[in-house]
Amino acid sequence: KNEVEQSPQNLTAQEGEFITINCSYSVGISALHWLQQHPGGGIVSLFMLSSGKKKHGRLIATINIQEKHSSLHITASHPRDSAVYICAVPRITDKLIFGTGTRLQVFP
Amino acid sequence: DTAVSQTPKYLVTQMGNDKSIKCEQNLGHDTMYWYKQDSKKFLKIMFSYNNKELIINETVPNRFSPKSPDKAHLNLHINSLELGDSAVYFCASSQDRWEGDYGYTFGSGTRLTVV
């Protein structure tokens, strides 16, 4: 079993829908990362959070340390949000363990 | 200005060759990494350097050798390339102590194809 599990694996939505991607992990962590991999392959860090909630534009990330769970929300989704979203947590000496990713497709 | 730059972006080479991928960051970060993304798009750590010192060396064939001439550069040299080495390799950097909002900055990736 992977130490970082994401759900769903694939997600399709209509433009404007509210999106939620979930991440559960089984290791103790200092922070959790959400990454976005564009269709072209590039990877962008969206959030690093260790507690509570962070918001950047239409993206919101929350984490519950006790439950070892994080969610990434996208409000008013748009086709340009189509990408793979990856949850990652650091093990010892900053080694990141990645989830398998959630492939999101938003249709107009 | 590109924060983490990798070159080349694409690399096609024959089995048995030796090749290098270069990575440079201009963020002043202390730690740099190499990750491999396999055909199933799964990312795994290969190496990590902190201030030119090797910190993480995962179970990677010793044909792979990282070189860090200074803390802004981490190059990946691969000897005797094999078909299974075909993948996308990502360089990344981070601050030492989780400062800032984002933690990690990734390069754009190098797609290596061994034929």
Side-chain angles (χ1 to χ4, degrees):
Chain A
K1 188 172 161 38
N2 203 16
E3 290 167 295
V4 182
E5 296 280 351
Q6 282 184 242
S7 63
Q9 283 194 315
N10 293 285
L11 184 54
T12 56
Q14 287 296 125
E15 184 173 355
E17 283 185 16
F18 182 83
I19 305 288
T20 295
I21 299 170
N22 295 300
C23 175
S24 296
Y25 52 92
S26 58
V27 295
I29 64 168
S30 54
L32 179 141
H33 298 256
W34 280 103
L35 310 170
Q36 179 193 54
Q37 185 165 29
H38 296 293
I43 297 177
V44 174
S45 277
L46 297 175
F47 293 102
M48 180 185 73
L49 67 166
S50 54
S51 65
K53 177 173 151 178
K54 282 191 177 180
K55 184 174 188 289
H56 290 138
R58 294 180 296 105
L59 299 177
I60 303 166
T62 63
I63 188 167
N64 185 319
I65 295 289
Q66 286 75 27
E67 293 185 6
K68 295 190 174 177
H69 182 268
S70 175
S71 293
L72 177 69
H73 305 286
I74 306 174
T75 61
S77 59
H78 190 276
R80 65 173 174 267
D81 297 326
S82 298
V84 175
Y85 292 84
I86 303 168
C87 168
V89 299
R91 292 284 308 280
I92 51 170
T93 60
D94 299 344
K95 169 179 135 176
L96 276 182
I97 307 294
F98 296 90
T100 50
T102 295
R103 184 175 299 276
L104 170 67
Q105 287 185 289
V106 182
F107 294 100
Chain B
D1 281 342
T2 304
V4 179
S5 61
Q6 286 180 235
T7 53
K9 198 169 170 130
Y10 299 96
L11 182 55
V12 181
T13 187
Q14 290 189 321
M15 271 194 332
N17 283 350
D18 302 338
K19 289 292 177 187
S20 291
I21 308 172
K22 295 187 176 180
C23 180
E24 175 181 3
Q25 55 99 0
N26 62 6
L27 298 165
H29 285 172
D30 295 313
T31 309
M32 294 184 72
Y33 312 82
W34 278 109
Y35 292 94
K36 180 179 179 181
Q37 187 172 42
D38 60 26
S39 57
K40 294 183 180 176
K41 305 294 185 189
F42 198 65
L43 280 156
K44 282 189 75 172
I45 183 77
M46 297 175 70
F47 300 103
S48 163
Y49 268 73
N50 179 280
N51 280 314
K52 303 194 297 175
E53 182 185 346
L54 181 65
I55 301 296
I56 296 171
N57 184 353
E58 286 296 289
T59 308
V60 174
N62 57 16
R63 297 181 295 103
F64 289 78
S65 54
K67 296 260 188 310
S68 183
D70 55 61
K71 80 171 195 175
H73 295 84
L74 181 61
N75 303 323
L76 183 65
H77 189 75
I78 316 170
N79 289 328
S80 304
L81 277 154
E82 300 177 359
L83 293 176
D85 298 331
S86 296
V88 181
Y89 294 84
F90 285 95
C91 177
S93 70
S94 71
Q95 285 284 46
D96 206 20
R97 283 284 175 236
W98 304 109
E99 293 170 13
D101 276 339
Y102 302 105
Y104 283 75
T105 303
F106 284 81
S108 56
T110 296
R111 183 175 293 278
L112 171 66
T113 305
V114 183
V115 296

Coordinates of all heavy atoms in Angstrom, one line a residue, chain A residues 8-91:
Chain A
P8 N -10.2 11.1 -6.3 CA -10.2 9.9 -7.2 C -8.9 9.9 -8.1 O -8.2 10.8 -8.1 CB -11.4 10.2 -8.1 CG -11.5 11.7 -8.1 CD -11.0 12.2 -6.8
Q9 N -8.8 8.8 -8.9 CA -7.6 8.8 -9.8 C -7.9 9.6 -11.0 O -7.0 10.2 -11.6 CB -7.4 7.3 -10.2 CG -6.7 6.5 -9.1 CD -6.1 5.2 -9.7 OE1 -6.8 4.5 -10.4 NE2 -4.9 4.9 -9.4
N10 N -9.1 9.6 -11.5 CA -9.5 10.4 -12.6 C -10.8 11.1 -12.3 O -11.7 10.6 -11.6 CB -9.8 9.4 -13.8 CG -8.5 8.8 -14.3 OD1 -7.7 9.4 -14.9 ND2 -8.4 7.5 -14.0
L11 N -10.9 12.3 -12.8 CA -12.0 13.2 -12.5 C -12.4 14.0 -13.7 O -11.5 14.7 -14.3 CB -11.7 14.1 -11.3 CG -12.7 15.0 -10.7 CD1 -13.9 14.2 -10.3 CD2 -12.1 15.7 -9.5
T12 N -13.6 14.0 -14.1 CA -14.0 14.9 -15.2 C -15.1 15.8 -14.6 O -15.9 15.4 -13.8 CB -14.6 14.1 -16.4 OG1 -15.7 13.3 -15.9 CG2 -13.6 13.2 -17.0
A13 N -15.1 17.0 -15.1 CA -16.1 18.0 -14.6 C -16.5 19.0 -15.7 O -15.8 19.1 -16.7 CB -15.4 18.8 -13.5
Q14 N -17.6 19.6 -15.5 CA -18.0 20.6 -16.5 C -17.5 22.0 -15.9 O -17.4 22.2 -14.7 CB -19.6 20.7 -16.5 CG -20.2 19.6 -17.3 CD -19.8 19.6 -18.8 OE1 -19.3 18.6 -19.3 NE2 -20.0 20.7 -19.4
E15 N -17.2 22.8 -16.8 CA -16.7 24.2 -16.4 C -17.6 24.8 -15.4 O -18.9 24.7 -15.5 CB -16.6 25.0 -17.7 CG -16.0 26.4 -17.4 CD -15.8 27.2 -18.7 OE1 -16.0 26.7 -19.8 OE2 -15.4 28.4 -18.6
G16 N -17.1 25.3 -14.4 CA -17.8 26.0 -13.3 C -18.1 25.1 -12.1 O -18.5 25.6 -11.0
E17 N -17.9 23.8 -12.2 CA -18.1 22.9 -11.1 C -17.1 23.1 -10.0 O -15.9 23.5 -10.3 CB -18.1 21.5 -11.6 CG -19.4 21.0 -12.3 CD -19.4 19.6 -12.6 OE1 -18.6 18.8 -12.0 OE2 -20.2 19.1 -13.4
F18 N -17.4 22.7 -8.8 CA -16.6 22.7 -7.6 C -15.9 21.4 -7.6 O -16.5 20.3 -7.6 CB -17.4 23.0 -6.4 CG -16.6 23.0 -5.1 CD1 -15.9 24.2 -4.7 CD2 -16.5 21.9 -4.3 CE1 -15.2 24.3 -3.6 CE2 -15.7 22.0 -3.1 CZ -15.1 23.2 -2.7
I19 N -14.6 21.4 -7.5 CA -13.8 20.1 -7.6 C -13.1 19.9 -6.2 O -12.7 20.8 -5.5 CB -12.6 20.3 -8.6 CG1 -13.1 20.7 -9.9 CG2 -11.8 19.0 -8.6 CD1 -13.8 19.7 -10.7
T20 N -13.1 18.6 -5.8 CA -12.4 18.2 -4.6 C -11.6 17.0 -4.9 O -12.0 16.0 -5.4 CB -13.4 17.9 -3.4 OG1 -14.1 19.1 -3.1 CG2 -12.6 17.4 -2.2
I21 N -10.3 17.1 -4.5 CA -9.4 16.0 -4.6 C -8.9 15.7 -3.2 O -8.5 16.6 -2.5 CB -8.2 16.3 -5.6 CG1 -8.7 16.7 -7.0 CG2 -7.2 15.2 -5.6 CD1 -7.7 17.2 -7.9
N22 N -8.8 14.4 -2.9 CA -8.5 14.0 -1.5 C -7.1 13.3 -1.5 O -6.7 12.6 -2.4 CB -9.5 13.1 -1.0 CG -10.8 13.8 -0.8 OD1 -10.9 14.8 -0.1 ND2 -11.9 13.3 -1.5
C23 N -6.4 13.5 -0.4 CA -5.1 12.8 -0.1 C -5.1 12.3 1.3 O -5.4 13.1 2.2 CB -4.0 13.9 -0.4 SG -2.4 13.3 0.0
S24 N -4.8 11.1 1.5 CA -4.6 10.5 2.8 C -3.1 9.9 2.8 O -2.6 9.4 1.9 CB -5.6 9.3 3.0 OG -6.9 9.8 3.0
Y25 N -2.5 10.1 4.0 CA -1.2 9.6 4.1 C -1.0 8.8 5.5 O -1.8 9.0 6.4 CB -0.2 10.8 4.1 CG -0.5 11.9 5.0 CD1 0.1 12.0 6.3 CD2 -1.4 12.9 4.7 CE1 -0.2 13.0 7.2 CE2 -1.7 13.9 5.5 CZ -1.1 14.0 6.8 OH -1.4 15.0 7.6
S26 N 0.0 8.0 5.5 CA 0.1 7.1 6.7 C 1.4 7.4 7.5 O 1.6 6.7 8.5 CB 0.1 5.7 6.2 OG 1.2 5.4 5.3
V27 N 2.2 8.4 7.1 CA 3.4 8.7 7.8 C 3.2 10.0 8.6 O 2.4 10.9 8.2 CB 4.6 8.8 6.9 CG1 4.8 7.4 6.3 CG2 4.4 9.8 5.8
G28 N 4.0 10.2 9.6 CA 4.0 11.5 10.3 C 4.7 12.5 9.4 O 5.7 12.2 8.8
I29 N 4.2 13.7 9.3 CA 4.8 14.7 8.4 C 4.9 16.0 9.1 O 4.3 16.3 10.1 CB 3.9 14.8 7.1 CG1 2.5 15.4 7.5 CG2 3.8 13.5 6.4 CD1 1.7 15.9 6.3
S30 N 5.8 16.9 8.5 CA 5.9 18.3 8.9 C 5.1 19.2 8.0 O 4.7 20.3 8.4 CB 7.4 18.7 8.9 OG 8.0 18.4 7.6
A31 N 4.9 18.7 6.8 CA 4.2 19.6 5.8 C 3.7 18.7 4.7 O 4.2 17.6 4.5 CB 5.0 20.7 5.3
L32 N 2.7 19.1 4.0 CA 2.2 18.4 2.8 C 2.2 19.3 1.6 O 1.9 20.5 1.8 CB 0.8 17.9 3.1 CG 0.1 17.1 2.0 CD1 -0.7 16.0 2.6 CD2 -0.8 18.0 1.2
H33 N 2.5 18.8 0.5 CA 2.6 19.6 -0.8 C 1.5 19.1 -1.7 O 1.2 18.0 -1.9 CB 3.9 19.3 -1.4 CG 5.1 19.8 -0.6 ND1 5.8 20.9 -0.8 CD2 5.7 19.2 0.5 CE1 6.7 21.1 0.0 NE2 6.7 20.0 0.8
W34 N 0.9 20.1 -2.4 CA 0.1 19.9 -3.6 C 0.8 20.4 -4.8 O 1.3 21.6 -4.8 CB -1.3 20.5 -3.5 CG -2.2 19.8 -2.6 CD1 -2.6 20.1 -1.3 CD2 -3.0 18.6 -3.0 NE1 -3.5 19.1 -0.8 CE2 -3.7 18.2 -1.8 CE3 -3.0 17.8 -4.1 CZ2 -4.6 17.1 -1.8 CZ3 -3.9 16.7 -4.1 CH2 -4.6 16.4 -3.0
L35 N 0.9 19.6 -5.8 CA 1.6 19.9 -7.0 C 0.7 19.8 -8.2 O -0.3 19.0 -8.2 CB 2.8 19.0 -7.3 CG 3.8 18.8 -6.1 CD1 4.8 17.7 -6.5 CD2 4.6 20.0 -5.8
Q36 N 1.0 20.5 -9.3 CA 0.1 20.4 -10.5 C 1.1 20.1 -11.6 O 2.1 20.8 -11.8 CB -0.5 21.8 -10.7 CG -1.4 21.8 -12.0 CD -1.8 23.2 -12.3 OE1 -0.9 24.1 -12.5 NE2 -3.1 23.5 -12.5
Q37 N 0.8 19.0 -12.4 CA 1.5 18.7 -13.5 C 0.7 19.0 -14.8 O -0.3 18.4 -15.0 CB 2.0 17.3 -13.6 CG 2.9 17.0 -14.7 CD 3.7 15.7 -14.6 OE1 3.2 14.7 -13.9 NE2 4.9 15.6 -15.2
H38 N 1.2 19.9 -15.6 CA 0.5 20.4 -16.8 C 0.5 19.3 -17.8 O 1.4 18.4 -17.8 CB 1.1 21.6 -17.3 CG 1.0 22.8 -16.4 ND1 -0.1 23.4 -16.1 CD2 2.0 23.5 -15.7 CE1 0.1 24.4 -15.2 NE2 1.4 24.4 -15.0
P39 N -0.4 19.3 -18.8 CA -0.4 18.4 -19.9 C 1.0 18.3 -20.6 O 1.4 17.3 -21.1 CB -1.5 18.9 -20.8 CG -2.5 19.6 -19.9 CD -1.6 20.2 -18.8
G40 N 1.6 19.5 -20.6 CA 3.0 19.5 -21.3 C 4.0 18.8 -20.4 O 5.2 18.6 -20.9
G41 N 3.7 18.5 -19.2 CA 4.7 17.8 -18.3 C 5.3 18.6 -17.2 O 5.8 18.0 -16.2
G42 N 5.3 19.9 -17.3 CA 5.9 20.7 -16.2 C 5.2 20.6 -14.9 O 4.0 20.4 -14.9
I43 N 6.0 20.7 -13.8 CA 5.4 20.5 -12.5 C 5.5 21.9 -11.7 O 6.5 22.5 -11.7 CB 6.1 19.4 -11.7 CG1 6.0 18.1 -12.3 CG2 5.6 19.4 -10.2 CD1 6.7 17.0 -11.7
V44 N 4.4 22.2 -11.1 CA 4.3 23.5 -10.4 C 3.9 23.2 -9.0 O 3.0 22.4 -8.8 CB 3.3 24.5 -11.1 CG1 3.2 25.7 -10.2 CG2 3.8 24.8 -12.4
S45 N 4.6 23.8 -8.0 CA 4.1 23.7 -6.6 C 2.9 24.6 -6.4 O 3.0 25.8 -6.7 CB 5.2 24.1 -5.7 OG 6.1 23.0 -5.4
L46 N 1.8 24.0 -5.9 CA 0.6 24.9 -5.6 C 0.6 25.3 -4.2 O 0.4 26.5 -3.9 CB -0.6 24.1 -5.9 CG -0.8 23.6 -7.4 CD1 -2.1 22.7 -7.4 CD2 -0.9 24.8 -8.3
F47 N 0.8 24.4 -3.3 CA 0.7 24.7 -1.9 C 1.7 23.8 -1.1 O 2.0 22.7 -1.5 CB -0.7 24.3 -1.3 CG -1.8 25.1 -1.8 CD1 -2.6 24.6 -2.7 CD2 -2.0 26.4 -1.3 CE1 -3.7 25.4 -3.2 CE2 -3.1 27.2 -1.7 CZ -3.9 26.6 -2.7
M48 N 2.2 24.4 0.0 CA 2.8 23.7 1.1 C 2.1 24.1 2.3 O 2.0 25.2 2.6 CB 4.3 24.0 1.2 CG 5.0 23.2 2.3 SD 6.7 23.7 2.4 CE 6.5 25.4 3.2
L49 N 1.6 23.1 3.0 CA 0.8 23.5 4.2 C 1.1 22.4 5.4 O 1.2 21.3 5.1 CB -0.7 23.7 4.0 CG -1.6 22.5 3.6 CD1 -3.0 23.0 3.7 CD2 -1.3 22.1 2.2
S50 N 1.1 22.9 6.6 CA 1.3 22.1 7.7 C 0.1 22.1 8.7 O 0.0 21.3 9.6 CB 2.6 22.5 8.5 OG 2.5 23.8 8.8
S51 N -0.8 23.0 8.5 CA -2.0 23.0 9.3 C -3.1 23.9 8.6 O -2.7 24.8 7.8 CB -1.7 23.6 10.7 OG -1.3 24.9 10.6
G52 N -4.3 23.7 9.0 CA -5.4 24.6 8.6 C -5.7 24.6 7.1 O -5.9 23.6 6.4
K53 N -5.6 25.8 6.5 CA -6.1 26.0 5.2 C -5.3 27.1 4.5 O -4.9 28.1 5.2 CB -7.6 26.5 5.4 CG -8.4 26.8 4.1 CD -9.8 27.1 4.5 CE -10.5 28.0 3.6 NZ -11.9 28.2 4.0
K54 N -5.1 27.0 3.2 CA -4.5 28.0 2.4 C -5.3 28.2 1.1 O -5.9 27.3 0.6 CB -3.0 27.6 2.1 CG -2.0 27.8 3.2 CD -0.6 27.7 2.7 CE 0.4 28.0 3.8 NZ 1.8 27.8 3.3
K55 N -5.2 29.5 0.7 CA -6.0 29.8 -0.5 C -5.2 30.6 -1.5 O -4.5 31.6 -1.1 CB -7.3 30.6 -0.1 CG -8.2 30.9 -1.2 CD -9.5 31.6 -0.6 CE -10.6 31.8 -1.7 NZ -10.3 32.8 -2.7
H56 N -5.2 30.2 -2.8 CA -4.5 31.0 -3.8 C -5.5 31.1 -5.0 O -5.8 30.1 -5.6 CB -3.2 30.4 -4.3 CG -2.1 30.4 -3.4 ND1 -1.3 29.3 -3.2 CD2 -1.7 31.4 -2.5 CE1 -0.4 29.7 -2.2 NE2 -0.6 30.9 -1.8
G57 N -6.1 32.2 -5.1 CA -7.1 32.4 -6.2 C -8.3 31.4 -6.0 O -8.9 31.4 -5.0
R58 N -8.5 30.6 -7.0 CA -9.6 29.6 -7.0 C -9.2 28.3 -6.3 O -10.0 27.4 -6.2 CB -10.2 29.4 -8.4 CG -10.8 30.6 -9.0 CD -11.3 30.3 -10.4 NE -10.2 30.0 -11.3 CZ -10.0 28.7 -11.8 NH1 -10.7 27.7 -11.4 NH2 -9.0 28.5 -12.6
L59 N -8.0 28.2 -5.9 CA -7.5 27.0 -5.3 C -7.5 27.1 -3.7 O -7.1 28.1 -3.2 CB -6.1 26.6 -5.7 CG -5.9 26.4 -7.2 CD1 -4.5 26.2 -7.6 CD2 -6.8 25.3 -7.7
I60 N -8.0 26.1 -3.1 CA -8.0 26.0 -1.6 C -7.5 24.7 -1.2 O -7.9 23.7 -1.7 CB -9.4 26.2 -1.0 CG1 -10.1 27.5 -1.5 CG2 -9.4 26.2 0.5 CD1 -11.6 27.6 -1.3
A61 N -6.5 24.7 -0.3 CA -6.0 23.4 0.3 C -6.3 23.4 1.8 O -6.0 24.4 2.5 CB -4.5 23.3 0.0
T62 N -6.7 22.3 2.3 CA -6.9 22.1 3.7 C -6.2 20.8 4.2 O -5.9 19.9 3.4 CB -8.4 21.9 4.0 OG1 -8.9 20.7 3.4 CG2 -9.2 23.1 3.5
I63 N -5.8 20.8 5.4 CA -5.2 19.7 6.0 C -5.7 19.4 7.4 O -5.9 20.4 8.2 CB -3.6 19.8 5.9 CG1 -3.0 18.5 6.3 CG2 -3.2 21.0 6.8 CD1 -1.5 18.4 6.0
N64 N -5.9 18.2 7.7 CA -6.2 17.7 9.1 C -5.1 16.8 9.5 O -5.1 15.6 9.1 CB -7.6 17.1 9.1 CG -8.0 16.7 10.5 OD1 -7.3 16.3 11.3 ND2 -9.3 16.9 10.8
I65 N -4.2 17.3 10.3 CA -3.1 16.5 10.7 C -3.5 15.3 11.6 O -2.9 14.2 11.4 CB -2.1 17.4 11.6 CG1 -1.5 18.5 10.7 CG2 -0.9 16.6 12.2 CD1 -0.5 18.1 9.6
Q66 N -4.5 15.5 12.4 CA -4.9 14.3 13.3 C -5.4 13.2 12.4 O -5.2 12.0 12.7 CB -5.9 14.8 14.3 CG -5.4 15.6 15.4 CD -5.1 17.0 15.0 OE1 -5.7 17.6 14.1 NE2 -4.2 17.6 15.8
E67 N -6.2 13.5 11.4 CA -6.8 12.5 10.6 C -5.9 12.1 9.4 O -6.2 11.2 8.6 CB -8.1 13.0 10.0 CG -9.2 13.2 11.1 CD -10.5 13.6 10.6 OE1 -10.7 13.6 9.3 OE2 -11.4 13.8 11.4
K68 N -4.7 12.8 9.2 CA -3.8 12.5 8.2 C -4.5 12.6 6.8 O -4.4 11.7 6.0 CB -3.1 11.2 8.4 CG -2.3 11.1 9.6 CD -1.4 9.9 9.7 CE -0.5 10.0 10.9 NZ 0.4 8.8 11.1
H69 N -5.1 13.7 6.6 CA -5.9 13.9 5.4 C -5.8 15.3 4.9 O -5.8 16.3 5.7 CB -7.4 13.5 5.7 CG -8.2 13.6 4.5 ND1 -8.9 14.8 4.2 CD2 -8.5 12.8 3.5 CE1 -9.6 14.6 3.1 NE2 -9.4 13.4 2.7
S70 N -5.7 15.5 3.6 CA -5.7 16.8 3.0 C -6.7 16.8 1.8 O -6.9 15.8 1.2 CB -4.3 17.2 2.6 OG -4.3 18.4 1.9
S71 N -7.2 18.0 1.5 CA -8.1 18.1 0.3 C -7.6 19.3 -0.5 O -7.2 20.3 0.1 CB -9.5 18.3 0.7 OG -10.1 17.1 1.3
L72 N -7.7 19.2 -1.8 CA -7.5 20.3 -2.7 C -8.8 20.6 -3.3 O -9.5 19.7 -3.9 CB -6.5 20.0 -3.7 CG -6.2 21.0 -4.8 CD1 -5.5 22.2 -4.1 CD2 -5.3 20.5 -5.9
H73 N -9.3 21.9 -3.2 CA -10.5 22.3 -3.8 C -10.3 23.3 -4.9 O -9.4 24.1 -4.8 CB -11.4 22.9 -2.8 CG -11.7 22.1 -1.6 ND1 -12.5 21.0 -1.6 CD2 -11.2 22.2 -0.3 CE1 -12.6 20.5 -0.4 NE2 -11.8 21.2 0.4
I74 N -11.0 23.2 -6.0 CA -11.0 24.2 -7.1 C -12.4 24.7 -7.2 O -13.3 24.0 -7.5 CB -10.5 23.6 -8.4 CG1 -9.2 22.9 -8.2 CG2 -10.4 24.7 -9.5 CD1 -8.7 22.1 -9.5
T75 N -12.5 26.0 -7.0 CA -13.8 26.6 -7.2 C -14.0 27.1 -8.6 O -13.0 27.5 -9.3 CB -14.1 27.8 -6.2 OG1 -13.1 28.8 -6.5 CG2 -13.9 27.3 -4.8
A76 N -15.2 27.1 -9.1 CA -15.5 27.7 -10.5 C -14.4 27.1 -11.5 O -13.7 27.9 -12.1 CB -15.4 29.2 -10.5
S77 N -14.4 25.8 -11.6 CA -13.4 25.1 -12.4 C -13.4 25.6 -13.9 O -14.5 26.0 -14.4 CB -13.5 23.6 -12.4 OG -14.8 23.2 -12.8
H78 N -12.3 25.6 -14.5 CA -12.1 26.1 -15.9 C -11.3 25.0 -16.7 O -10.5 24.3 -16.1 CB -11.4 27.4 -15.8 CG -11.3 28.1 -17.1 ND1 -10.4 27.9 -18.1 CD2 -12.1 29.1 -17.6 CE1 -10.6 28.6 -19.1 NE2 -11.7 29.4 -18.9
P79 N -11.5 24.9 -18.0 CA -10.7 24.0 -18.8 C -9.2 24.1 -18.6 O -8.5 23.1 -18.6 CB -11.1 24.3 -20.2 CG -12.6 24.7 -20.1 CD -12.6 25.5 -18.8
R80 N -8.7 25.3 -18.3 CA -7.3 25.4 -18.1 C -6.8 24.8 -16.8 O -5.6 24.7 -16.5 CB -6.9 26.9 -18.1 CG -7.4 27.7 -17.0 CD -6.8 29.2 -17.1 NE -7.5 30.0 -16.1 CZ -8.5 30.8 -16.4 NH1 -9.0 30.9 -17.6 NH2 -9.0 31.5 -15.4
D81 N -7.8 24.4 -15.9 CA -7.4 23.6 -14.7 C -7.1 22.2 -15.0 O -6.6 21.4 -14.1 CB -8.5 23.7 -13.7 CG -8.8 25.1 -13.2 OD1 -7.9 25.9 -13.1 OD2 -10.0 25.4 -12.9
S82 N -7.4 21.7 -16.2 CA -7.1 20.3 -16.6 C -5.6 20.0 -16.4 O -4.8 20.7 -17.0 CB -7.6 20.1 -18.0 OG -9.0 20.3 -18.1
A83 N -5.3 19.1 -15.6 CA -3.9 18.7 -15.3 C -4.0 17.5 -14.4 O -5.0 17.0 -14.0 CB -3.3 19.9 -14.5
V84 N -2.8 17.0 -14.0 CA -2.7 16.0 -13.0 C -2.3 16.7 -11.7 O -1.3 17.5 -11.6 CB -1.6 15.0 -13.3 CG1 -1.5 14.0 -12.2 CG2 -2.0 14.2 -14.6
Y85 N -3.0 16.4 -10.6 CA -2.8 17.0 -9.3 C -2.2 16.0 -8.4 O -2.7 14.9 -8.3 CB -4.0 17.6 -8.7 CG -4.5 18.8 -9.5 CD1 -5.3 18.6 -10.6 CD2 -4.1 20.1 -9.2 CE1 -5.7 19.7 -11.4 CE2 -4.5 21.2 -9.9 CZ -5.3 21.0 -11.1 OH -5.7 22.0 -11.8
I86 N -1.0 16.3 -7.8 CA -0.2 15.3 -7.1 C -0.1 15.8 -5.6 O 0.3 17.0 -5.4 CB 1.2 15.1 -7.7 CG1 1.0 14.7 -9.2 CG2 2.0 14.1 -6.9 CD1 2.3 14.8 -10.0
C87 N -0.3 14.9 -4.7 CA -0.1 15.2 -3.3 C 1.2 14.6 -2.9 O 1.6 13.5 -3.4 CB -1.3 14.5 -2.5 SG -1.1 14.4 -0.8
A88 N 2.0 15.3 -2.1 CA 3.3 14.7 -1.7 C 3.6 15.1 -0.3 O 3.3 16.2 0.2 CB 4.4 15.3 -2.6
V89 N 4.3 14.1 0.4 CA 4.6 14.4 1.8 C 6.1 14.1 2.0 O 6.6 13.2 1.3 CB 3.8 13.6 2.8 CG1 2.3 13.9 2.7 CG2 4.0 12.1 2.6
P90 N 6.8 14.8 2.8 CA 8.2 14.5 3.0 C 8.5 13.5 4.1 O 7.9 13.4 5.1 CB 8.8 15.9 3.5 CG 7.6 16.5 4.2 CD 6.3 16.0 3.6
R91 N 9.4 12.6 3.7 CA 9.9 11.6 4.7 C 11.2 12.2 5.3 O 11.4 13.4 5.2 CB 10.2 10.3 4.1 CG 9.0 9.5 3.6 CD 8.2 8.9 4.6 NE 8.9 8.0 5.5 CZ 9.3 6.8 5.3 NH1 9.1 6.3 4.1 NH2 9.9 6.1 6.2

